[in-house]
Amino acid sequence: MPTATRNAQGRTARIGFALIGVLLIAVNLRVSFVSVGPVLANISGDLGLSSAAAGFLTGLPLIAFAVFSPVAPGFASRMGLDRALWMSLLFLASGIVLRSLPVPGFIWAGTALIGLAIAFLNVLVPSLVKRDFPAKVSRVTGSYTATQAAFAAMGAAVVVPVAQTSPAGWRLALGIWVGLALIAMAVLLPWLRRHGSRTVTTKPEGSYRSPWASALGWQVTAFMGLQSIAFYVLMAWLPTIEQSRGVSATTAGIHLSVFLLISVFASLMAGGILHRGSDQRLVSSASGAAMLVTFLGLALAPDLTLLWVVLGAIGCGSLIVIALSLFSLRTVNYPQAASLSGMAQSVGYGLAAVGPVMFGGLRDVSGDWTLPLLVTAGIMAVLAFMGVLAGRDRVISGSV
């Protein structure tokens, strides 16, 4: 076989394995987090948690995302990107096991460890995509975002039946997701052994400007944070809003499932069209405008709720792919992509944690849902504007 043919086959195999690795990591990014909500009442009843404590338990991963995201680039720099990803999966598996053990306090320690692990994975996967798929950033990002959304929807559907049919109840329902982490670790281990010396610092790509000191870095960060508010406000409050307007709990649940399912296809669609133009301004601002219309519609035309659910799913599914792609598209190399990812996700998840609380507070002050929905619509207008700024065909300077 000619050397050129062997080299081409080797490159194809490496790219294929790298894509499998990205998708295996993606299946772990959300399912262990979103599976808590459906069994939260069981957990609270079993452990005697107050409503405030139960709310803190669901919010703890978001707090961990905000706190630990800036640490991830330094962790990857010391460990190497591949080792850092594998170690993060190990942290995730350990956290899932701890959370499910019937030992006092372990549910809190396990949940915090899960938050740390997912924070690291969230930050480092865009850097991995930048390194291994520099010409296919948007497509690969759309694929892994859709994958994590699909498994999150599956987890939300499976966790309650498992909890109801197993003597171990919610502990088994939450613990089964360790299998996904272990599968990813096992498949990636041979690759890690072959490429363990491939680190962020072994072959430096030159110095790079910190995104914390860049206007473009802050524009991407604002875009990430504002789109996070949209998603987590809808996840936290959409079923409650619908039920307060006479929609049955079953129908509200179906609407949420529709939202998650459509967002999967929206993510794939966004990944396929991001590179169609010279920049990403149109798709970024249009997706932000879709969320503006969604919240205005929920406030002013509640009889068309299903329409706003569909539009919101398209907007949210597209926005997360755009935001994650911008970490690579606006940087000069993958260490800088990791740095921007850590910055944007730290601020973004901080806003994600605050957004639903602010939304509920405005509901308490005003007595109905109109004011919080209109205020959030105003925030979405800012998101659409940030899409114009962050979507320009520019990169953060490569110089210090």
Side-chain angles (χ1 to χ4, degrees), residues 102-293:
V103 179
F106 272 28
I107 189 171
W108 299 101
T111 300
L113 190 55
I114 289 169
L116 179 148
I118 298 178
F120 280 12
L121 292 169
N122 278 336
V123 169
L124 298 180
V125 169
S127 182
L128 177 66
V129 173
K130 175 74 171 180
R131 186 192 72 184
D132 291 349
F133 305 95
K136 300 180 179 179
V137 166
S138 299
R139 257 187 219 123
V140 174
T141 301
S143 297
Y144 87 72
T145 303
T147 299
Q148 73 177 37
F151 272 81
M154 181 191 74
V158 167
V159 66
V160 172
V162 172
Q164 290 176 341
T165 57
S166 168
W170 63 267
R171 295 187 186 276
L172 178 64
L174 297 184
I176 57 175
W177 307 116
V178 71
L180 295 177
L182 293 176
I183 291 170
M185 292 169 63
V187 173
L188 294 175
L189 187 57
W191 179 262
L192 181 66
R193 286 175 174 169
R194 286 196 298 269
H195 301 276
S197 61
R198 186 177 172 185
T199 70
V200 172
T201 55
T202 300
K203 296 181 180 180
E205 297 190 15
S207 60
Y208 61 87
R209 184 182 182 188
S210 169
W212 293 90
S214 162
L216 180 55
W218 280 104
Q219 290 157 10
V220 172
T221 296
F223 186 83
M224 174 67 187
L226 296 175
Q227 69 85 26
S228 295
I229 288 178
F231 177 79
Y232 285 102
V233 162
L234 288 176
M235 287 298 97
W237 289 110
L238 182 59
T240 304
I241 292 171
E242 291 193 71
Q243 291 176 53
S244 72
R245 291 170 170 174
V247 177
S248 70
T250 300
T251 302
I254 292 173
H255 285 177
L256 193 59
S257 297
V258 168
F259 181 98
L260 292 169
L261 181 62
I262 292 176
S263 69
V264 171
F265 294 100
S267 293
L268 292 171
M269 178 183 66
I273 67 174
L274 270 178
H275 285 294
R276 294 291 177 89
S278 59
D279 56 35
Q280 292 75 44
R281 285 178 294 181
L282 178 60
V283 66
S284 300
S285 58
S287 298
M291 298 313 302
L292 166 60
V293 175

